[in-house]
Amino acid sequence: RPRSLVEDIANILSDAIIEGKIHPGEQLVETDLQEVLQVSRAPVREALLKLEGQGLVKMVPRKGTFVRSITPRFIKESFTMRAWLEGLAARLTAENLKAPDFEPLDEVLDDMARLARQKDFKAYFYRHADFHRFFIQNSRNKLLIQRIEVMRREALWLSYSITYFERYFAASQKTHKKIIDLFRKGHPEEIEMAVRDHILKATDHYVRFLKITYP
């Protein structure tokens, strides 16, 4: 069986989960997936195992496979860990790069502002992810990068985040501009604390937003 078939199935399902086409808590029935995707049971099973490893689904013995539910506790625990790990990644990036190397972040931030004006918050969501991915990847710590990417993917429920950014993009822009300025100043400790604080504050806002908007 070609490995790409499992990857394709996993990508189709993860995109559907992230974009809100399959909802948190919803069960993924293997026989239904086989019929819809026109594939056998084995690659579907492997794809679901892959998604479980990414934190998008939970396989419960004798009950089935379910899309991971979004709860305030899950968000707080996940985002708190991300805050410390991404803060460390930002610190390492500040140690690895010089001021001119951060020009790509200006371009990303400009794109985010343009997309906000156009009210294209789906594209805004992905460019925001590119902003964080820049300093995660430039930490040059492979294990750290892998751990953060798994945790970020766990929290990427696009349908919720689009609404969130639509309401709070102005504060988001201001915070990310400050982060770029700190990178250029070249103070690793300050940038670590700034990124950590940014994510921790976003956690509280996001939890309140979900409770009010999606009770």
Side-chain angles (χ1 to χ4, degrees), residues 153-184:
R153 195 164 181 82
E154 286 179 350
L156 297 187
W157 274 270
L158 181 60
S159 57
Y160 295 156
S161 297
I162 286 175
T163 308
Y164 176 80
F165 280 126
E166 187 174 357
R167 297 185 183 183
Y168 300 108
F169 73 89
S172 171
Q173 289 291 99
K174 184 177 180 180
T175 299
H176 288 80
K177 176 64 170 63
K178 177 183 176 182
I179 288 173
I180 294 175
D181 292 341
L182 287 173
F183 269 127
R184 285 207 166 94

Side-chain angles (χ1 to χ4, degrees), residues 17 24 73 122 125 130 134:
I17 292 170
R73 179 176 178 177
K122 180 176 181 179
F125 168 87
D130 289 338
F134 176 88

Side-chain angles (χ1 to χ4, degrees), residues 14 30 32-33 59 65 88 118 136 148 167:
S14 65
E30 292 183 22
D32 291 346
L33 295 176
M59 304 180 80
T65 302
L88 174 58
Q118 296 172 350
I136 292 168
I148 293 174
R167 297 185 183 183

Side-chain angles (χ1 to χ4, degrees), residues 42-58:
V44 169
R45 184 71 174 177
E46 286 190 44
L48 292 177
L49 286 169
K50 186 177 180 67
L51 294 184
E52 185 177 43
Q54 294 174 350
L56 288 176
V57 305
K58 185 174 182 179

